Amino acid sequence: MKYLSFILISFMVSITMQAQEVTGDWYGALDIQGQKLRIAFHIENEGDDLKSTMDSPDQGANGIPMANTSFHSDTLTISAPNMMMTYTAVLKAGELTGKFQQGGMSLPLQLSSTEKKINRPQTPKKPYPYLEEEVTFENVNDTVTLAGTLTKPKDLKNFPTVILITGSGPQNRNEELMGHQPFLVLSDYLTRNGIAVLRYDDRGVGESTGKFQNSTIFDFTEDAKAAVTYLRSRKDIDPKKIVLLGHSEGGLVAPLIASKDKKLGGIVLLAGPGVRLDKLLLQQQKDVYGGSGMPKAAVDSIIDVNEGFYDILNRVDRKDLSKEFTTYGNKKSMSTLEINKQIQQVSDNWFYSFITYDPTAALQQVSCPVLALNGSKDVQVNAAQNLNAIQVNLAQGGNKNVTVKNLEGLNHLFQNATTGMPNEYGQIEETISPKVLEIVKEWINTNL
């Protein structure tokens, strides 16, 4: 028996040593129709077992838990049945070589323990030639403390001050995404050119308190209003020269505030929505799915189904949505699982408030100067659809100080792009087009 015990112990030691060989961080990229999509797995021991998470940085997704992780002999298997995803690879000479399968797709994926360095040449490096101050301010209505950074030009007085408002999803003060920090680049450029900037972490993100989950556009509006109140309380800030700059969803928040607050110096909308959000999402799906190579018939089918759900959302009381969705889903021959996914999605407060929101009324009440920019290759907020609506609504409200620009070749992040698709964001070294930086600077200096 003692020999059997020795064999078992040796076998367990061997398994442990093998597991140690595969634990750690593994990096690679899928080649999808010529586009590189970075993938990373993070594997660690959990008792005698392994667990892992996956990152897809180019899609802005990090820390996705994997359901099953195993390593036997020289073969690693990672799977996430809820995503219909499996990665199987052989470890040899410090590299993992295998196949990444998801749905009906099967692609080769080689991983190594060395992450390829990302070059972000526009990211500023200290020391800065301006003043930088860590600040906090209170949204007293929601008992939330927002933490941020205020940058100010040296040796200047009565300078304009811009408040940066992030896009959708939990964002830090730099609006960090795929190695890019667009709000850091923007604030650095503006402050070097005599314009103060306040940028802050979203509620529940970074150093800000509160909960991001279940917060809505209207909650984020209260946070941005608190930023305005805070700046007006400071003696070193000119209260008549405060500008709100919102990117994407932040482009909904800025007009909401400006429609009521007539003391603002102006607003800047970077890829801001101008149409009711269900219409924006339908166009987004058409542009993204079509741009990814999905057959037109499949895209049309998705749009048709979603259009019906969105119509119900905007005409039926929220308490009756489950019943209406079930009836509609059955008419479309959808499975119970598919219908329940739709019902679950609209139970999210953020999604419901977002998709039922129409920015028309707020835009028509904005009387301060407005700069609205978008990129011609933006597949998330279609430039033609939304810039036209913004211009029309501002004009109907009598606002004549409006500058609208559709910038050729730029994507949703205002990078010079090839396709405009989200999986390209992380592959582009440029964080934000210098042309956009200059336009924003010149507009602020001209109008304030």
Side-chain angles (χ1 to χ4, degrees):
M1 288 296 291
K2 66 179 180 179
Y3 297 109
L4 178 59
S5 298
F6 176 76
I7 292 170
L8 287 173
I9 291 170
S10 299
F11 180 66
M12 292 304 295
V13 169
S14 175
I15 290 176
T16 302
M17 291 178 66
Q18 287 180 8
Q20 288 174 345
E21 291 178 7
V22 81
T23 56
D25 303 320
W26 297 90
Y27 306 94
L30 295 169
D31 190 327
I32 305 175
Q33 297 179 340
Q35 293 289 328
K36 297 292 184 181
L37 183 68
R38 289 178 294 153
I39 295 292
F41 287 106
H42 308 286
I43 305 171
E44 60 184 63
N45 289 310
E46 188 175 50
D48 294 332
D49 299 318
L50 294 172
K51 70 174 184 177
S52 65
T53 61
M54 183 181 78
D55 299 340
S56 181
D58 298 326
Q59 295 178 306
N62 296 303
I64 305 168
M66 299 289 98
N68 305 296
T69 305
S70 63
F71 185 63
H72 298 296
S73 185
D74 60 355
T75 301
L76 171 71
T77 303
I78 297 175
S79 65
N82 62 323
M83 297 168 58
M84 297 185 291
M85 187 280 289
T86 302
Y87 176 59
T88 305
V90 173
L91 177 64
K92 185 177 181 180
E95 291 192 338
L96 287 164
T97 303
K99 286 191 177 294
F100 182 95
Q101 296 174 296
Q102 187 168 28
M105 176 181 68
S106 180
L107 296 170
L109 177 61
Q110 186 168 340
L111 303 176
S112 72
S113 58
T114 304
E115 183 177 16
K116 185 178 178 181
K117 288 188 177 181
I118 300 173
N119 188 27
R120 298 290 181 251
Q122 288 177 291
T123 301
K125 294 177 176 61
K126 294 183 177 181
Y128 302 138
Y130 48 78
L131 303 173
E132 183 180 48
E133 181 183 350
E134 299 302 301
V135 301
T136 59
F137 52 93
E138 302 292 326
N139 172 352
V140 294
N141 292 331
D142 294 345
T143 319
V144 170
T145 300
L146 289 309
T149 303
L150 176 64
T151 54
K152 301 185 300 179
K154 289 181 178 179
D155 305 321
L156 287 179
K157 293 182 179 180
N158 302 321
F159 42 76
T161 304
V162 180
I163 299 171
L164 304 185
I165 308 170
T166 64
S168 58
Q171 302 273 353
N172 66 19
R173 67 192 71 185
N174 295 327
E175 206 183 35
E176 193 164 350
L177 177 70
M178 304 178 200
H180 290 291
Q181 301 179 73
F183 275 11
L184 175 59
V185 173
L186 179 58
S187 65
D188 177 76
Y189 177 85
L190 293 178
T191 310
R192 287 173 188 266
N193 285 277
I195 300 167
V197 178
L198 172 61
R199 63 191 197 275
Y200 58 93
D201 299 329
D202 288 348
R203 56 169 63 196
V205 177
E207 297 177 35
S208 292
T209 68
K211 291 184 178 180
F212 185 90
Q213 188 178 8
N214 287 327
S215 296
T216 69
I217 298 168
F218 308 106
D219 297 316
F220 304 135
T221 298
E222 291 302 312
D223 293 342
K225 285 167 64 176
V228 175
T229 301
Y230 167 70
L231 288 181
R232 285 177 175 160
S233 72
R234 292 181 60 120
K235 293 181 179 180
D236 56 345
I237 300 298
D238 188 337
K240 297 178 182 178
K241 293 185 177 182
I242 295 175
V243 174
L244 300 179
L245 184 152
H247 175 232
S248 195
E249 185 181 355
L252 295 173
V253 171
L256 267 171
I257 297 174
S259 66
K260 304 295 183 184
D261 187 340
K262 302 304 179 181
K263 296 180 181 179
L264 287 172
I267 62 173
V268 178
L269 310 179
L270 299 184
V275 298
R276 198 173 73 186
L277 274 297
D278 62 324
K279 298 182 185 301
L280 181 148
L281 285 183
L282 290 170
Q283 184 64 49
Q284 181 185 103
Q285 291 159 15
K286 182 177 180 181
D287 292 340
V288 171
Y289 294 150
S292 68
M294 184 181 290
K296 186 177 183 302
V299 176
D300 290 345
S301 177
I302 292 171
I303 299 299
D304 175 64
V305 170
N306 286 343
E307 191 169 20
F309 279 119
Y310 298 166
D311 175 66
I312 294 170
L313 270 171
N314 281 284
R315 64 176 174 79
V316 174
D317 192 277
R318 191 172 184 181
K319 64 180 175 59
D320 298 322
L321 287 178
S322 179
K323 178 182 177 181
E324 292 286 336
F325 270 28
T326 301
T327 301
Y328 175 74
N330 288 332
K331 286 182 180 178
K332 290 292 184 178
S333 301
M334 296 173 67
S335 69
T336 301
L337 178 62
E338 290 172 323
I339 295 170
N340 286 339
K341 282 184 177 180
Q342 294 285 349
I343 294 171
Q344 183 179 12
Q345 188 175 39
V346 297
S347 67
D348 179 83
N349 283 335
W350 173 83
F351 182 80
Y352 181 82
S353 70
F354 183 83
I355 202 168
T356 56
Y357 181 69
D358 189 341
T360 298
L363 286 166
Q364 290 179 356
Q365 295 173 51
V366 173
S367 56
C368 65
V370 178
L371 172 65
L373 305 179
N374 212 325
S376 67
K377 291 189 176 180
D378 189 337
V379 297
Q380 292 184 249
V381 178
N382 183 276
Q385 179 191 48
N386 290 280
L387 286 180
N388 179 67
I390 289 170
Q391 195 162 23
V392 167
N393 286 320
L394 289 169
Q396 287 183 355
N399 194 333
K400 296 181 180 180
N401 193 343
V402 177
T403 302
V404 174
K405 293 182 182 291
N406 186 349
L407 302 172
E408 185 61 35
L410 302 188
N411 61 18
H412 187 63
L413 299 187
F414 292 90
Q415 302 165 303
N416 283 283
T418 301
T419 67
M421 296 291 286
N423 63 6
E424 192 180 46
Y425 299 164
Q427 300 169 27
I428 301 172
E429 289 189 352
E430 179 181 73
T431 294
I432 182 169
S433 165
K435 182 178 181 180
V436 172
L437 298 174
E438 184 177 358
I439 290 172
V440 173
K441 176 198 72 175
E442 291 298 326
W443 182 86
I444 292 172
N445 286 332
T446 298
N447 286 274
L448 282 89

